Amino acid sequence: VDRTPEAVVDEILAILEAAEHREYFGEPVSQLAHALQAAELARNAGSSNEVVIAALLHDLGHILDDPASVRDGVVGVINHDAIAGRYLREHGFSETVAALVEAHVDAKRYLTATNPAYLARLSPASTETLRLQGGPMDTEEARRFAEHSLFRERLQLRSWDEEAKYPERRSAPLSAYREMLIAHLSR
Ligand code: FE
């Protein structure tokens, strides 16, 4: 895409800003609040900027207007991980950011396969999406997932995703990430 980093970042921030009133499927927070809470959890954990950016943008695929989106009335865009991953690559984000975003659904499929307590803790909405996303991984898939170089970050992102659902939590505003995003695209 032949645009300045500033133009790309402002487009993405506008998409997120517009999601202030879009519900995060079956959860008590908006899409925007969910993104901000996830990014803040990543920041507070001392993560790299790439990981923070991935946390902020992990659900972008739910709110992009992409003709390839497969929509479900209850759980939103079923293929939102792939939609967002492609969008981020096309717009100049690093492979690490794109791959992390792309794997946040697989991380759930991994955890539900390897951790029965985790499976039992999933929210009703998340349990329903899991079914649509292919259910828990089989042994071979789980082994490959665990060998990936971003294994740890993928699981971290998943846990922040799950924690970022508190209606009362205050977070830093979207503008707090603008410079970080521009610097990333200008790298
Ligand atoms: Fe999410």
Side-chain angles (χ1 to χ4, degrees), residues 24 34 58-59 62 80 104 161 165:
Y24 182 61
H34 177 64
H58 77 274
D59 273 335
H62 275 307
H80 69 283
H104 83 279
D161 187 3
K165 296 175 180 175

Side-chain angles (χ1 to χ4, degrees), residues 64-134:
L64 286 172
D65 199 11
D66 189 317
S69 300
V70 181
R71 287 175 199 282
D72 175 272
V74 180
V75 302
V77 177
I78 297 170
N79 57 339
H80 69 283
D81 47 346
I83 296 282
R86 196 181 67 193
Y87 177 93
L88 294 172
R89 278 196 192 89
E90 284 175 359
H91 287 76
F93 286 82
S94 71
E95 182 53 32
T96 296
V97 171
L100 274 174
V101 167
E102 230 163 37
H104 83 279
V105 168
D106 269 352
K108 179 166 81 171
R109 296 188 55 238
Y110 171 83
L111 288 167
T112 52
T114 55
N115 186 342
Y118 176 89
L119 180 58
R121 271 201 317 270
L122 279 186
S123 70
S126 203
T127 305
E128 173 60 14
T129 24
L130 174 66
R131 198 179 58 76
L132 293 166
Q133 288 155 346

Side-chain angles (χ1 to χ4, degrees), residues 108-187:
K108 179 166 81 171
R109 296 188 55 238
Y110 171 83
L111 288 167
T112 52
T114 55
N115 186 342
Y118 176 89
L119 180 58
R121 271 201 317 270
L122 279 186
S123 70
S126 203
T127 305
E128 173 60 14
T129 24
L130 174 66
R131 198 179 58 76
L132 293 166
Q133 288 155 346
M137 285 182 171
D138 64 33
T139 315
E140 177 54 25
E141 279 179 295
R143 190 189 59 74
R144 275 202 310 267
F145 188 85
E147 281 173 0
H148 194 276
S149 58
L150 292 171
F151 176 63
R152 188 170 148 268
E153 288 82 359
R154 284 172 160 186
L155 292 191
Q156 280 183 309
L157 177 56
R158 184 73 222 169
S159 72
W160 300 324
D161 187 3
E162 268 147 38
E163 260 185 80
K165 296 175 180 175
Y166 288 94
E168 308 302 334
R169 187 182 289 159
R170 290 179 53 89
S171 334
L174 210 41
S175 57
Y177 299 94
R178 187 167 182 272
E179 291 310 314
M180 182 192 290
L181 289 162
I182 291 170
H184 177 76
L185 291 182
S186 310
R187 74 198 182 283

Side-chain angles (χ1 to χ4, degrees), residues 19-39:
E20 187 180 352
H21 302 292
R22 284 178 72 162
E23 69 152 342
Y24 182 61
F25 311 95
E27 310 287 355
V29 290
S30 72
Q31 289 279 348
L32 174 61
H34 177 64
L36 291 175
Q37 289 182 24

